[in-house]
Amino acid sequence: MTEIQTIGVVGAGAMGRGIAQIAAQAGLRVRLYDTSADAVAAARESLRQTWDKLAQKGKLTAADAQAALERVEPATALTDMSACQLVVEAIVERLDVKRDLFAALEGVVSDDCILASNTSSLSITAIAAACKHPRRVAGYHFFNPVALMKVVEVIDGLRSAPEVGDALAELARRMGHTPVRAKDMPGFIVNHAGRGMNTEGLRVAQEAVASFAQVDAVMREQAGFRMGPFELLDLTALDVSHPVMESIYRQFFDEARFRPSPITTVRLAGGLIGRKAGEGFYVYADGQKQVPA
Ligand code: NAI
């Protein structure tokens, strides 16, 4: 396979912009597309600010910051992805929408273009089944915030060609990330092994054993995690993580240990979804976390 130089990123939200950031910093050209033109403009502006800050801190020269920004080209249509050797999808976590996108992308890109999904919980094999060439499809699961979370899961679907995963792993290393190869099972590795902390944390709170803040403090200070489960849920936001919890539970045929909690259902319905809403398990004022009374 030829070395990947130009990638497409579809979905310019939290994850899409992070993937665009590390790719552009590694010297790749990035075409960034979203059904919302505003999302693309906002992503580019946030990348500009990120690189400006890195330049101010001396972590990047001003010229490198400018060059990185210039490598991120806004795309106005999916057809702008035609020259990409890889397209990474980071859109809404819905199987039907992702399958439609992958089928549409196949009509745009060349036969040897790799199509990768950043899905947290959906089956790569099921996404690939919408394609004429499912061998080109694999999972490429980054974590939030992408630039700081240096691991990426590379997921082989049942029909993925091994060399596709190899190329994604090699690219991950070029972008400064550590690839970990996983099989296509619900939650892959992180959202499977890591699920226990969220679901048990929610059960502890539901049983009124301890408050959200107490559970977080114990997991941080005793167990050594960087964040407790409720801090992490606030960072990810419940509009993203609650559907992931439901999806993994259903995919394991309602296995009790994966069961989501009514605590998150109610909070999602009430809009208390996390940092980006200003309120989740904690309240956020001027970017600072506050513990509700
Ligand atoms: P987000 O809500 O921040 O951004 C999604 C973007 O996709 C939006 O700008 C939306 O306009 C766009 N979009 C929706 N449908 C589209 C379509 N058909 N074509 C083009 N653009 C479309 O979501 P976020 O958090 O970036 O998540 C994206 C994906 O990454 C999801 O699959 C999610 O499960 C996964 N993920 C999220 C993580 C997180 O912590 N936020 C971590 C790892 C994976």
Side-chain angles (χ1 to χ4, degrees), residues 10-16 33-36 39 89-93 97-98 101 118-121 141-144 235-236 239-240 244 276:
V10 182
M15 297 306 291
Y33 174 72
D34 196 293
T35 39
S36 155
E89 165 275 313
I91 66 166
V92 61
E93 184 77 343
V97 185
K98 290 197 195 279
L101 173 67
N118 187 53
T119 181
S120 311
S121 65
H141 184 209
F142 290 90
F143 300 91
N144 190 16
L235 176 67
T236 308
D239 59 334
V240 174
V244 169
K276 69 183 178 188

Side-chain angles (χ1 to χ4, degrees), residues 3-240:
E3 190 175 73
I4 295 168
Q5 302 291 356
T6 304
I7 74 163
V9 176
V10 182
M15 297 306 291
R17 66 183 63 174
I19 296 165
Q21 181 191 342
I22 59 166
Q25 280 176 206
L28 292 140
R29 299 195 77 83
V30 181
R31 304 252 160 99
L32 184 59
Y33 174 72
D34 196 293
T35 39
S36 155
D38 288 349
V40 176
R44 220 163 165 275
E45 175 54 22
S46 125
L47 287 170
R48 191 186 62 73
Q49 289 176 11
T50 300
W51 283 319
D52 279 354
K53 274 192 210 133
L54 289 175
Q56 278 160 20
K57 287 184 189 162
K59 297 195 171 165
L60 215 64
T61 66
D64 284 348
Q66 183 59 29
L69 187 62
E70 281 167 15
R71 281 194 285 273
V72 180
E73 298 168 37
T76 52
L78 216 50
T79 46
D80 291 344
M81 300 287 156
S82 60
C84 296
Q85 293 143 311
L86 160 69
V87 179
V88 184
E89 165 275 313
I91 66 166
V92 61
E93 184 77 343
R94 276 186 41 198
L95 183 59
D96 56 338
V97 185
K98 290 197 195 279
R99 283 170 56 100
D100 286 351
L101 173 67
F102 275 66
L105 278 169
E106 270 205 318
V108 169
V109 298
S110 64
D111 280 355
D112 55 358
C113 175
I114 296 174
L115 301 180
S117 175
N118 187 53
T119 181
S120 311
S121 65
L122 302 171
S123 164
I124 299 304
T125 308
I127 295 171
C131 292
K132 288 194 196 95
H133 304 292
R135 286 174 59 78
R136 64 159 87 198
V137 178
Y140 212 21
H141 184 209
F142 290 90
F143 300 91
N144 190 16
V146 179
L148 300 180
M149 305 298 277
K150 296 284 187 186
V151 165
V152 56
E153 292 177 322
V154 175
I155 302 121
D156 293 293
L158 290 182
R159 289 213 159 96
S160 307
E163 57 271 25
V164 165
D166 294 346
L168 291 175
E170 195 267 329
L171 178 64
R173 284 188 281 268
R174 275 168 62 201
M175 297 191 295
H177 275 50
T178 303
V180 179
R181 211 72 177 245
K183 293 277 187 302
D184 187 19
M185 283 295 280
F188 318 125
I189 306 170
V190 173
N191 276 328
H192 187 165
R195 195 109 313 263
M197 181 162 97
N198 281 352
T199 48
E200 278 310 311
L202 283 160
R203 264 189 279 276
V204 167
Q206 204 172 312
E207 290 165 10
V209 176
S211 68
F212 306 134
Q214 285 172 314
V215 174
D216 281 343
V218 168
M219 295 312 284
R220 250 188 292 106
E221 287 157 35
Q222 194 282 327
F225 287 88
R226 200 179 288 176
M227 286 186 189
F230 300 103
E231 290 161 334
L232 186 58
L233 285 168
D234 270 3
L235 176 67
T236 308
L238 290 181
D239 59 334
V240 174

